[in-house]
Amino acid sequence: MPPRVVSLVPSLTEAVAASVPGALVGATDWCTHPAGLDVARVGGTKNPRPDSVLALAPDLVIANEEENREDDLAALRAAGAEVLVTEVRDVPQAFRELDRVLTACGARTRPRWLDEAERTWTDLPPPAHRTTAVVPVWRRPWMVLGRDTFAGDVLARLGVDHLYAGHPDRYPRVPLDELRAAAPDVVVLPDEPYRFTAGDGPEAFPGLRCALVSGRHLTWYGPSLAQAPQVLAGALRGARR
């Protein structure tokens, strides 16, 4: 029998569900993949309900240092739960952490999707040219990708250099006027964590090319990694003014 696992990270929920059937007993309200996942829901990534997690008697709770709050994880540990916390700042680290999580969740062999995803990124050809970008992840206030982020590394490997990669903060708040004045080649607008859409986001950047991209393929580390280069490259090619 696999261990009883509660996942507080949507991408890890998808990875475990695809690799260790029956291991997941709980997940967050934001865990949307795989579709139809039938497990108990324990709240949000930023506000899980510790009592709901503990009521599931998990052998392991999986979390992420960026998506989950340390206070919540500390409360779970204090109540006796074992908590595995991942740190993912670039693509190679994502594969290492996925290996660690899936092994801890009872995977007896490395899943095929993980091998395929890693090959996809290892065999990725060098970009033919490079493009500058700003990458908002929130508005009201405007926040963008800064230094040392997984999504920033994903884009860099596809030839997209975001202009705040050297900022002291990982997700700096930047005034809209400054973002416009930076004059990037493209504004990359993912549909999570803020849900940018054709009618909510591009209008703030008149005269600039905007690419609406899948947040799952930009920010999740799991089975979506295998399709991410193709999906994101297609969205970037379709950027419009």
Side-chain angles (χ1 to χ4, degrees):
M1 290 287 293
R4 295 173 59 83
V5 177
V6 172
S7 172
L8 303 181
V9 185
S11 56
L12 295 180
T13 297
E14 184 179 18
V16 174
S19 309
V20 194
L24 282 173
V25 295
T28 75
D29 300 339
W30 297 103
C31 294
T32 56
H33 288 72
L37 179 67
D38 185 18
V39 297
R41 301 295 173 159
V42 298
T45 57
K46 301 297 185 188
N47 56 347
R49 298 183 298 273
D51 289 349
S52 296
V53 174
L54 296 169
L56 295 170
D59 299 305
L60 182 66
V61 178
I62 51 177
N64 174 262
E65 50 92 27
E66 180 175 293
E67 293 199 49
N68 307 118
R69 301 185 308 168
E70 176 55 35
D71 287 351
D72 294 323
L73 304 183
L76 290 170
R77 291 191 187 98
E82 181 178 350
V83 182
L84 185 159
V85 182
T86 60
E87 178 183 300
V88 177
R89 304 291 179 90
D90 57 35
V91 173
Q93 190 175 28
F95 291 119
R96 293 194 298 271
E97 289 288 66
L98 283 165
D99 262 331
R100 184 166 73 100
V101 167
L102 296 178
T103 298
C105 290
R108 296 184 178 180
T109 60
R110 200 171 195 261
R112 181 177 299 177
W113 69 259
L114 186 55
D115 287 333
E116 292 174 352
E118 189 159 18
R119 267 196 309 273
T120 295
W121 284 94
T122 300
D123 298 342
L124 201 65
H129 64 276
R130 304 204 70 82
T131 300
T132 62
V134 294
V135 189
V137 294
W138 203 258
R139 67 183 301 177
R140 305 183 191 95
W142 286 93
M143 299 174 66
V144 299
L145 292 186
R147 65 168 180 85
D148 198 21
T149 65
F150 171 73
D153 187 57
V154 165
L155 289 172
R157 292 168 187 270
L158 298 175
V160 180
D161 301 313
H162 68 95
L163 296 178
Y164 291 89
H167 196 282
D169 298 330
R170 297 186 65 221
Y171 297 96
R173 298 184 180 188
V174 182
L176 181 57
D177 287 349
E178 182 179 326
L179 296 179
R180 292 168 174 162
D185 296 323
V186 63
V187 180
V188 178
L189 298 168
D191 61 10
E192 63 175 81
Y194 186 90
R195 188 172 180 80
F196 288 106
T197 66
D200 184 357
E203 83 290 343
F205 300 94
L208 294 176
R209 295 172 63 240
C210 292
L212 294 166
V213 306
S214 162
R216 175 169 167 259
H217 291 92
L218 178 62
T219 65
W220 287 32
Y221 41 95
S224 59
L225 277 169
Q227 294 80 39
Q230 180 180 358
V231 171
L232 293 172
L236 292 165
R237 283 194 301 270
R240 299 179 179 180
R241 293 187 185 278

